[in-house]
Amino acid sequence: MPKWIPERPAYKKEHRTVGFMLLAVFLLLLAARMLTHLFSFGDIPWLMAPVAALIAFLPPIAGYLFYRGRGYTKALRLQAPRHVHLPLMIFAFIALLFGSFLLSALTGGLDTLGNSVVAFSQSTPETVWEFLLSIVTIGVLPALLEAFCFFGVATLEYERRGAVRAILLCTVLFSLIHFDAANLPAYLFAGVLYILVLYATGSLIAVGILHALYVICGLALHRYLVALYHFTGTVQLFLFFFILFALGALILFCRSAARIYRQRDEKGLRDPRRDVPYEVQFYTVLDAACDPAVILCLGVSIAGFILL
């Protein structure tokens, strides 16, 4: 059995270029959010939300893809999920929906269910077309860009020395990019589910679909969940049903994922990232966490917690 703190093995050090891409995303998104607040663009969040997301994500991602060269995108798991992955995605979605809402209710209350919900509430869509436009611009577009950045590019880079580092760092960074301390546990929970779906399905498109659907349901159902929360008259009853649905879906999700991995092992398709020695993963996680760019991302997110 390996020690909790093993001796550092000899391995070739990596180039930490992905950290600079992530730092650029953090800085650009914080600057865009600050400009939105300073110049009172809050009355048109359906326009400012996609502009901020495009400014923050597209230039760093495009620059990084150009730096990595031709053929890099082939490794980003851009294939569509297969029909055998549908049960797993359904269980993941139910667990994501009820688990995230539950954590938001426990930590910040349903009235503060994340930046997207706040922006959607401020937009007050009055017609069906305004509603659909707000869903796409406030929810779907930022969700797809976040999925591509953190569970596409960043995960691909960090998993080169084992999946543990990718799961830990990409989940934490995905949570911090929202600059929302009250809902940080909900974002952490969502990030873990997203990356587990990525590894189980081998499809970044599956993660993008799941993230977009979750954001859409959060925007569309938020007011009804708040009404249900107050209608029950008791917090205990509300939490009981949410815990019941979240745990049940998580159990079924884990069983579906275990079945998929078992079938892969039987076919001899075992992922080599699962066989990286513990001591290597332990120290490469520390190396990545001590990356100056990653530390600066943490500092930028703390500034966002305070300023936004």
Side-chain angles (χ1 to χ4, degrees), residues 124-134:
T124 59
E126 298 178 355
T127 67
V128 174
W129 291 111
E130 290 180 359
F131 175 82
L132 294 176
L133 180 62
S134 297

Side-chain angles (χ1 to χ4, degrees), residues 27-69:
L27 289 171
L28 289 172
L29 187 58
L30 178 61
R33 293 269 181 87
M34 289 295 299
L35 289 174
T36 301
H37 284 275
L38 290 175
F39 292 99
S40 302
F41 293 132
D43 56 335
I44 48 173
W46 61 268
L47 176 61
M48 294 310 301
V51 170
L54 290 171
I55 291 175
F57 285 96
L58 278 188
I61 291 176
Y64 192 77
L65 294 179
F66 178 79
Y67 164 76
R68 295 295 291 174

Side-chain angles (χ1 to χ4, degrees), residues 19 24 39-40 44 46 73 96 144 154 170 196-197 209 219 229 253 263 267 276 307:
F39 292 99
S40 302
I44 48 173
W46 61 268
T73 55
L96 181 65
L144 294 179
C170 294
L196 291 180
V197 168
I209 293 172
L219 298 178
Y229 179 77
F253 169 78
Q263 292 173 351
K267 295 178 181 179
V276 177
L307 298 174

Side-chain angles (χ1 to χ4, degrees), residues 145-156:
L145 290 172
E146 289 171 5
F148 189 85
C149 177
F150 292 101
F151 304 109
V153 177
T155 297
L156 178 61

